[in-house]
Amino acid sequence: MAPTRNVVKIAIQMPGAIPQLIQLDQAKPLAAVLKEVCSVWNLTDYEHYALQYADGHRKYITESNRSEIKNGSILSLSIAPDKEAESLLNALKSGSREVKREALRRLALLAPDLTFAGEVINQDGLEHLGAIIEDGDDLGEVLAHGLRAFSELMEHGVVSWETLSRNLVKKVVSYVNMNLMDASVPQLALGLLESLALSSPPLGQLVKQEVPLERLLVHLQVLNQPLQTKAMALLTALLQNASFAERQVMLDYLGQRNLRQFIYKNIIHSSVPLGDEMAHHLYVLQVLTLGLLEPRMRTPLDPYNQEQREQLQALRQAAFEPDGESQSGGLSADRRRSLCAREFRKLGFSNSNPAQDLERAPPGLLALDNMLYFSSHAPSAYSRFVLENSSREDKHECPFARGSIQLTLLLCELLRIGEPCSETAQDFSPMFFGQDNSFQELFCVCIQLLNKTWKEMRATQEDFDKVMQVVREQLTRTLALKPTSLELFRTKVNTLSYSEVLRLRQTERMHQEGTMAPPVLELRERLKPELLGLIRHQRLLRLCEGTLFRKISSRRRQDKAWFCCLSPNYKMLQYGDVEEGAPQPSPESLPDKLPVAEMRALLLGKDCPHVREKGSGKQNKDICELAFSVSYDAGGKVAYLNFIAPSKRDFCLWTDGLSALLGLAMGSEQMRMELEMLLAMETKLQLLELENVPIPDQPPPVPPPPTNYNFCYDCSISEP
């Protein structure tokens, strides 16, 4: 007799028949199970049938995935995938438009299932679908279902994108270039071309040649968010696959066509909320645009380059010879060199030869570019900066050049210039789409902030590093607020004065630090179990609310989502796929369930199986930080439910909640922060009556016992 854990209780239904309630023995071959089920309903050819999940994704049950069946699952008896694929492909050969449309609709519905997709591919289904796409006789629903089914089949990776013919690619491109009434066709064609561009560089080059950037701009201007998103996805895919020179030409053209202004006004500030996928593509576009600065950032100044030497002289002349009249016209060569060296010193260069200051890369020539931009686009502010510091004592001068070099390096670090695009990040800055030359304009604001902070701190040359630390904090805090324009950034960062930074630091320190006296530490230890229970309860309630997670495919696309939540009685994890843009599903509608009693362990980061499969490159770092898995017992085998949290906060909440369900200690950064906050608050409440009373490190000494106890009252003696 099979062990109890190998038996699951399920229901099997079939249209027009009474459902069967059976105990499925996972050790029994699936063919034998099908034979028994068919015999109850008097069906003879059991080989022509298969089991499917009755709801949700309707995935076929096979020997490889049968361990995923849970107690209480509802299955349906349906046509076997090979027979279903054969039937639908035969229907595609029918001359009836309605029959063909229905067959394609069903193909697109079942194509996400790997088992069914394999049968369709084995029966030359891709060739049939490719012929329908190439013919293009019907530009409506038939073509839309054909494109969707074709894309879903290719997404499984069974067939390489390299095998697609150039004629087919050109035909799909033509649907993008057409003005069609049905927006779903160009939307699906754009999605197919994006996958193609990311997977096949040669065919991606063909797509780049055949799809004009002007056409993508037309699709971006349509007030249809899904179509805009797919157009932006293809645009970023083409930019990512282009060489640096090609990317620069493409971005210059897009700049001339006012793409930035359109994105800022009609996408970022649209009345429709920005979707996660569009936010990711805007982030990629921002990274690629700022990435054009990387060569200048990594190129040191060449002291023998005549053009660069002239740029340095232009920087000096803009500060000390604003009218173009040289003050050293009648001086000797040595005297003139000495005067120039002194003026470069006043500009804040550490060496008499300024080229030596710019030999470090990064920031390399990018720092020189920023200084020249500031001097030419804000000449009055530049002159005021230099002259104001020239009039101060030497030790109180804010060095313009040294500060510009360090500030450029700081901005490159904060904006991650030179780093590869994250495959899941969405943290773009709206400010960069609201301003031409955004990096240089940001530098102009920040260099004036540096001078302002220098004066507020009354700094000397020895305090340079301390000032830069404060400026870093000012910029980090302001960028985290995601200001929507450069003017708003300027306003917010200037209100964050040095005194305000000190106040914020003190407030955070008070929240983080408590009195370290032993009695207070003992009190905190006594309070900790109750507060941990409070946090545990909050985490479980958060799991009951549920979270929408993203599925990451082999190319890390995020166009599919699934929802997971904890049942109100804390005994079951319920989960299932959801459509893009659909409202949050109710727990009862989720098809899959994982009993908490079957959960075995919680895996984090690199230990997760779905992270190990992706490798360990730099681009996997962000996914590794948000990945976690739950291992559970599935029919005697270890299976995994894999997650990639949408944010660091969700990662902390879910890992804490799952740890609590498994009886493990909660160990996330969020939990430690909340516990510290609650402990500090509760400790202060407990010590309110002792305010301004010093708490000794040691308890007061116990006095020695008395010499006699004659003062005790004898209760046995009764009073007269």
Side-chain angles (χ1 to χ4, degrees):
M1 183 176 179
T4 306
R5 64 181 181 180
N6 283 343
V7 176
V8 289
K9 297 179 180 180
I10 61 172
I12 302 178
Q13 62 185 23
M14 186 180 72
I18 300 175
Q20 300 183 38
L21 300 176
I22 70 169
Q23 293 188 1
L24 175 62
D25 185 354
Q26 294 284 33
K28 183 183 292 186
L30 200 56
V33 175
L34 277 171
K35 186 175 182 179
E36 292 177 2
V37 171
C38 290
S39 65
V40 174
W41 284 324
N42 298 319
L43 301 173
T44 54
D45 299 328
Y46 69 90
E47 300 93 346
H48 295 171
Y49 294 92
L51 292 176
Q52 269 183 308
Y53 288 102
D55 45 14
H57 41 68
R58 299 187 63 81
K59 185 165 65 173
Y60 281 98
I61 305 299
T62 63
E63 291 289 355
S64 60
N65 66 18
R66 62 184 296 177
S67 61
E68 299 174 10
I69 301 175
K70 307 294 188 302
N71 277 313
S73 297
I74 301 176
L75 308 181
S76 64
L77 187 69
S78 58
I79 303 299
D82 57 338
K83 300 298 180 184
E84 182 74 15
E86 182 181 358
S87 172
L88 293 176
L89 292 177
N90 288 333
L92 294 183
K93 303 172 185 177
S94 169
S96 169
R97 177 184 180 280
E98 189 61 31
V99 172
K100 185 182 293 186
R101 184 189 67 79
E102 181 59 27
L104 286 170
R105 185 195 68 80
R106 184 140 180 84
L107 261 175
L109 181 67
L110 295 174
D113 181 75
L114 179 59
T115 304
F116 177 78
E119 295 294 342
V120 173
I121 293 170
N122 290 337
Q123 297 181 36
D124 300 329
L126 282 173
E127 287 76 3
H128 289 297
L129 291 171
I132 292 173
I133 294 172
E134 285 193 55
D135 291 341
D137 297 331
D138 189 325
L139 298 178
E141 283 188 282
V142 170
L143 181 57
H145 290 315
L147 287 168
R148 182 176 288 109
F150 191 88
S151 296
E152 292 289 354
L153 292 173
M154 292 298 297
E155 281 296 323
H156 292 292
V158 177
V159 177
S160 170
W161 291 89
E162 304 277 358
T163 60
L164 300 188
S165 69
R166 296 175 67 87
N167 289 335
L168 176 62
V169 175
K170 290 182 178 181
K171 192 64 179 181
V172 176
V173 168
S174 70
Y175 299 137
V176 172
N177 294 334
M178 287 181 185
N179 293 317
L180 299 176
M181 296 297 293
D182 187 358
S184 63
V185 171
Q187 177 184 330
L188 291 163
L190 286 165
L192 184 59
L193 293 177
E194 181 214 357
S195 299
L196 190 65
L198 292 172
S199 305
S200 172
L203 292 179
Q205 192 65 25
L206 175 63
V207 173
K208 178 177 175 294
Q209 295 170 1
E210 296 292 330
V211 180
L213 292 178
E214 183 66 36
R215 191 62 195 169
L216 293 179
L217 293 176
V218 170
H219 288 305
L220 280 171
Q221 293 171 9
V222 175
L223 297 180
N224 180 329
Q225 193 179 57
L227 183 59
Q228 284 181 335
T229 302
K230 292 301 180 184
M232 185 63 75
L234 179 56
L235 177 61
T236 55
L238 294 177
L239 287 170
Q240 283 180 285
N241 287 345
S243 65
F244 182 85
E246 291 174 333
R247 186 182 304 155
Q248 192 164 23
V249 172
M250 293 169 69
L251 288 172
D252 287 344
Y253 174 79
L254 293 172
Q256 295 170 9
R257 302 295 298 162
N258 298 323
L259 173 65
R260 177 193 63 74
Q261 293 89 329
F262 178 82
I263 290 174
Y264 187 72
K265 293 179 181 178
N266 300 317
I267 295 180
I268 294 177
H269 290 287
S270 171
S271 57
V272 181
L274 202 65
D276 291 346
E277 190 175 354
M278 178 61 86
H280 172 68
H281 294 309
L282 291 179
Y283 155 79
V284 173
L285 183 60
Q286 174 185 306
V287 171
L288 294 175
T289 304
L290 292 175
L292 296 180
L293 303 171
E294 184 181 359
R296 300 290 289 178
M297 180 188 75
R298 299 197 183 281
T299 304
L301 185 138
D302 182 2
Y304 301 104
N305 185 294
Q306 183 63 29
E307 180 185 358
Q308 295 172 13
R309 292 167 61 185
E310 290 175 357
Q311 288 175 336
L312 282 172
Q313 291 299 328
L315 190 66
R316 180 190 63 80
Q317 291 168 0
F320 300 105
E321 302 172 11
D323 300 327
E325 298 180 0
S326 174
Q327 300 176 1
S328 55
L331 301 178
S332 64
D334 291 342
R335 180 65 178 163
R336 189 162 53 248
R337 280 194 295 270
S338 176
L339 179 61
C340 289
R342 187 165 65 251
E343 289 177 343
F344 276 123
R345 286 276 190 181
K346 284 183 174 294
L347 267 180
F349 286 97
S350 302
N351 299 281
S352 56
N353 180 6
Q356 296 177 4
D357 291 54
L358 293 165
E359 287 179 349
R360 186 179 63 164
L365 291 176
L366 187 57
L368 178 59
D369 294 341
N370 282 339
M371 289 188 280
L372 287 169
Y373 186 92
F374 181 52
S375 66
S376 59
H377 288 76
S380 59
Y382 174 64
S383 299
R384 186 166 57 250
F385 188 113
V386 176
L387 296 176
E388 182 180 305
N389 284 283
S390 298
S391 62
R392 295 178 187 165
E393 296 180 26
D394 289 345
K395 65 176 184 178
H396 286 288
E397 288 182 356
C398 177
F400 170 75
R402 183 184 177 191
S404 297
I405 294 170
Q406 200 64 29
L407 186 60
T408 301
L409 181 61
L410 173 60
L411 288 174
C412 290
E413 290 178 6
L414 294 178
L415 300 176
R416 299 180 179 179
I417 294 176
E419 294 185 14
C421 293
S422 164
E423 296 176 341
T424 57
Q426 303 168 8
D427 55 339
F428 73 96
S429 296
M431 171 178 67
F432 285 96
F433 293 94
Q435 180 75 45
D436 285 329
N437 301 317
S438 56
F439 183 80
Q440 291 81 2
E441 291 290 338
L442 178 62
F443 171 83
C444 292
V445 174
C446 295
I447 192 65
Q448 295 175 76
L449 171 70
L450 172 62
N451 190 38
K452 173 176 172 289
T453 304
W454 186 279
K455 290 187 291 185
E456 291 173 348
M457 296 179 65
R458 299 181 180 179
T460 62
Q461 295 290 336
E462 290 78 14
D463 300 323
F464 181 82
D465 291 336
K466 294 180 182 178
V467 176
M468 291 307 303
Q469 289 176 2
V470 174
V471 171
R472 173 187 284 272
E473 189 168 346
Q474 290 170 319
L475 296 181
T476 303
R477 290 179 183 273
T478 308
L479 288 172
L481 299 175
K482 294 191 179 299
T484 55
S485 68
L486 188 66
E487 284 305 313
L488 188 58
F489 174 85
R490 188 197 308 271
T491 302
K492 289 184 177 296
V493 80
N494 283 328
T495 57
L496 198 60
S497 61
Y498 176 56
S499 58
E500 180 66 13
V501 170
L502 291 180
R503 189 189 66 81
L504 290 171
R505 286 178 177 177
Q506 181 65 20
T507 303
E508 292 171 356
R509 191 178 299 115
M510 288 177 63
H511 283 300
Q512 294 174 359
E513 298 177 0
T515 307
M516 301 306 290
V520 177
L521 294 177
E522 185 178 347
L523 174 61
R524 287 166 60 93
E525 289 299 318
R526 291 188 181 185
L527 294 172
K528 190 177 290 186
E530 180 182 354
L531 297 178
L532 282 172
L534 181 64
I535 295 174
R536 177 183 182 278
H537 182 63
Q538 185 271 337
R539 295 295 193 266
L540 295 178
L541 289 178
R542 179 64 184 83
L543 264 59
C544 291
E545 293 178 10
T547 301
L548 188 68
F549 295 94
R550 291 280 165 184
K551 288 187 175 180
I552 307 297
S553 66
S554 58
R555 283 180 304 283
R556 306 290 172 82
R557 294 179 58 193
Q558 302 183 69
D559 51 353
K560 295 183 180 179
W562 63 290
F563 185 81
C564 183
C565 66
L566 179 66
S567 62
N569 61 3
Y570 302 165
K571 293 185 177 180
M572 198 79 67
L573 279 181
Q574 299 169 293
Y575 60 95
D577 292 346
V578 296
E579 295 293 332
E580 182 72 19
Q584 179 173 315
S586 61
E588 296 78 15
S589 65
L590 297 172
D592 299 314
K593 296 177 176 60
L594 172 60
V596 173
E598 295 183 6
M599 291 165 48
R600 293 291 175 264
L602 175 65
L603 307 176
L604 305 177
K606 295 180 180 179
D607 296 330
C608 299
H610 59 310
V611 172
R612 291 200 301 267
E613 293 170 1
K614 303 298 181 183
S616 57
K618 287 185 178 179
Q619 298 181 357
N620 299 291
K621 182 181 178 182
D622 53 320
I623 290 181
C624 182
E625 292 176 350
L626 300 177
F628 59 98
S629 300
V630 174
S631 65
Y632 60 91
D633 192 1
K637 299 180 180 178
V638 177
Y640 300 91
L641 184 60
N642 300 318
F643 301 76
I644 295 179
S647 66
K648 188 66 176 178
R649 175 177 171 78
D650 287 309
F651 173 85
C652 294
L653 295 176
W654 271 84
T655 52
D656 283 345
L658 293 172
S659 297
L661 290 174
L662 291 168
L664 305 174
M666 299 179 292
S668 73
E669 296 175 4
Q670 184 75 17
M671 185 280 300
R672 289 192 290 270
M673 183 179 68
E674 292 177 5
L675 178 62
E676 188 61 35
M677 180 185 67
L678 291 172
L679 280 171
M681 186 187 308
E682 191 65 27
T683 303
K684 289 178 181 178
L685 290 174
Q686 296 276 355
L687 299 176
L688 273 179
E689 295 183 1
L690 295 178
E691 190 173 3
N692 298 325
V693 175
I695 300 175
D697 291 340
Q698 301 294 332
V702 178
T707 55
N708 62 73
Y709 294 89
N710 296 335
F711 59 89
C712 292
Y713 183 79
D714 189 359
C715 298
S716 63
I717 303 175
S718 60
E719 294 182 2

